[in-house]
Amino acid sequence: MSGWRLISETAKQKWGMSMEKNFRATSNSRNDAMFKEATGFAQHLRTVEKELNQWQRDIESSFGNIRNIMLSPLPRVYEEGHNGQAVPSEPEPTMVGGDVQVERLTTASAETKKRLDVEVIQPIKQWMVAYRTIAERMRRLEALRLELDSRRRTVADLQGKCERVRANLGTTRARGEVDMEITLRKMQVNAGEAPAAAGTTVWFCFSTQMPWQWPPNACCNKWCSCYKLVALDLFTLALP
């Protein structure tokens, strides 16, 4: 899609810079609603992931500090001896950890870090990778939607020109038929270049400006040109 066509269609839809009062833009509200909620959830996950990574880095030092305190003796009460020296009330210090197998803290530290990474951090990272993939495809989908609407506008405009030429056929019939043939060819080119993507097949009637289904020409009683367009779907595009 040309850059100017994208900018022009964006301006028409976002800021209403269009004279076509009856034109209805292709809706992508379903995907927009889901992506909005996913974006909010992703922001929370980024914060949690950052804190978990910091906690993972602190696990080893935390368990090391616990090991040190477990191996530390409890303070004893001292009394003054006969010769003025300080004498402990208990001959041997009592360790804080008592009979705890302190060396197992090292193994517990490594196991905790491993399980935190495998069971928590990695699933979060995988979800974030999928989210970034969807975000990129949403940008592509929006570009395709804008291209589709831009070409719909072009075809609708050419349809109007074709109707005016048909109405003026008479004394200028030969010239009018040539002009109409040129206009119809332009319509076919624009309709044929509508973005193709996996999704639901829809038919669009440019006389009534409404989508309809098979059979062709069943949407209105007057002459019209109907072209096969494609409704885009984000989660179809997201499939591998």
Side-chain angles (χ1 to χ4, degrees):
M1 180 178 185
S2 66
W4 172 248
R5 184 184 286 272
L6 177 61
I7 294 172
S8 175
E9 187 61 31
T10 301
K12 289 177 181 178
Q13 295 194 17
K14 191 171 183 179
W15 296 295
M17 299 172 61
S18 174
M19 301 297 293
E20 300 157 317
K21 296 182 179 180
N22 296 326
F23 182 83
R24 293 196 310 178
T26 302
S27 175
N28 193 33
S29 59
R30 169 179 171 270
N31 292 327
D32 287 339
M34 290 188 290
F35 186 68
K36 181 180 179 180
E37 291 190 0
T39 299
F41 185 67
Q43 292 174 350
H44 294 304
L45 277 187
R46 289 191 186 98
T47 302
V48 172
E49 182 182 13
K50 181 179 179 181
E51 293 178 352
L52 287 174
N53 286 328
Q54 182 61 48
W55 185 30
Q56 189 180 39
R57 288 190 292 269
D58 292 341
I59 285 177
E60 187 172 354
S61 61
S62 297
F63 274 79
N65 291 333
I66 293 174
R67 179 181 179 278
N68 292 338
I69 194 67
M70 288 294 183
L71 293 176
S72 298
L74 287 169
R76 292 177 291 177
V77 175
Y78 281 77
E79 297 177 356
E80 186 173 351
H82 298 290
N83 56 359
Q85 294 183 347
V87 179
S89 58
E90 298 178 0
E92 296 295 333
T94 302
M95 297 295 136
V96 174
D99 297 331
V100 174
Q101 298 180 12
V102 179
E103 298 305 324
R104 296 188 62 179
L105 289 172
T106 304
T107 304
S109 171
E111 182 65 20
T112 301
K113 291 174 62 176
K114 179 180 178 180
R115 293 189 63 180
L116 179 63
D117 182 67
V118 173
E119 299 178 13
V120 182
I121 296 178
Q122 288 304 319
I124 291 177
K125 288 182 177 180
Q126 291 171 5
W127 195 94
M128 292 302 298
V129 168
Y131 169 78
R132 287 191 289 270
T133 300
I134 292 298
E136 174 60 29
R137 290 175 179 175
M138 275 293 288
R139 286 190 286 270
R140 288 167 45 200
L141 175 60
E142 178 63 10
L144 289 171
R145 187 187 69 83
L146 291 171
E147 180 178 1
L148 173 62
D149 283 353
S150 177
R151 295 194 180 277
R152 283 177 55 207
R153 292 181 194 271
T154 301
V155 172
D157 180 63
L158 293 172
Q159 169 73 21
K161 291 181 180 179
C162 202
E163 292 288 352
R164 290 191 294 272
V165 171
R166 183 179 293 275
N168 293 330
L169 287 178
T171 56
T172 59
R173 183 178 182 82
R175 177 59 184 169
E177 288 180 346
V178 172
D179 291 343
M180 188 170 67
E181 177 65 22
I182 293 174
T183 302
L184 285 172
R185 289 183 180 275
K186 288 181 180 179
M187 289 172 63
Q188 292 171 357
V189 169
N190 279 276
E193 290 183 1
T200 304
T201 300
V202 176
W203 292 81
F204 190 86
C205 172
F206 290 99
S207 290
T208 61
Q209 290 291 305
M210 293 292 290
W212 55 278
Q213 296 180 352
W214 187 266
N217 296 318
C219 54
C220 58
N221 296 322
K222 59 182 180 178
W223 180 88
C224 65
S225 296
C226 300
Y227 292 90
K228 185 178 182 181
L229 304 181
V230 179
L232 305 176
D233 189 288
L234 167 66
F235 290 93
T236 303
L237 290 174
L239 291 175

